[in-house]
Amino acid sequence: QVQLVESGGGLVQAGGTLRLSCAASGTIFSIIYMGWYRQAPGKQRELVAAITSGGSTNYADSVKGRFTISRDNAKNTVYLQMNSLKPEDTAVYYCNVNAFAGTKRAYDYWGQGTQVTVSS
């Protein structure tokens, strides 16, 4: 099993910055990719950013140029640097990890979510 511990959410004014962290632990053989999703009230969960073990990244159009995803493979940790935050970035942010953890195929694991609130 894989456990994910997220940190770094909070309340910030528009234009401000936050940095989210997510540390994965457990019986991890290898991590394929790590990412962040978010879900605003009344909306579907959406991909914010993802990064592969090789460092390839993918971003939602709405955050390109403002958010940066990175990872520390040695620590099994993924980060999301969020700059120039907007009120529409307000959501619960979830860490997602796709990994082999004592299984024959990779599975998705999810964090408990961290609230990000951007005031105007």
Side-chain angles (χ1 to χ4, degrees), residues 9-26:
L11 173 64
V12 65
Q13 289 187 334
T17 64
L18 283 174
R19 188 188 193 215
L20 305 183
S21 300
C22 173
S25 63

Side-chain angles (χ1 to χ4, degrees), residues 2-3 6 11 24 26-28 33-34 40 45 56 62 65 73 79 83 91 93 98 100 112 117:
V2 176
Q3 294 79 43
E6 302 158 341
L11 173 64
T27 311
I28 300 172
Y33 62 81
M34 308 179 82
R45 190 174 296 189
S56 296
S62 60
N73 289 333
Y79 307 95
N83 299 331
Y93 284 68
N98 185 266
F100 286 92
Q112 78 282 2
T117 302

Side-chain angles (χ1 to χ4, degrees), residues 20-92:
L20 305 183
S21 300
C22 173
S25 63
T27 311
I28 300 172
F29 179 71
S30 67
I31 294 177
I32 307 305
Y33 62 81
M34 308 179 82
W36 292 92
Y37 284 71
R38 67 186 181 187
Q39 187 167 20
K43 295 187 177 181
Q44 290 187 331
R45 190 174 296 189
E46 63 174 359
L47 174 68
V48 177
I51 184 167
T52 68
S53 57
S56 296
T57 58
N58 182 35
Y59 294 93
D61 288 342
S62 60
V63 307
K64 285 181 180 177
R66 299 188 297 122
F67 291 10
T68 302
I69 190 169
S70 61
R71 63 187 282 178
D72 184 332
N73 289 333
K75 296 181 179 179
N76 287 337
T77 299
V78 62
Y79 307 95
L80 185 68
Q81 178 67 42
M82 303 185 293
N83 299 331
S84 302
L85 282 160
K86 303 176 180 180
E88 50 263 44
D89 294 318
T90 295
V92 178

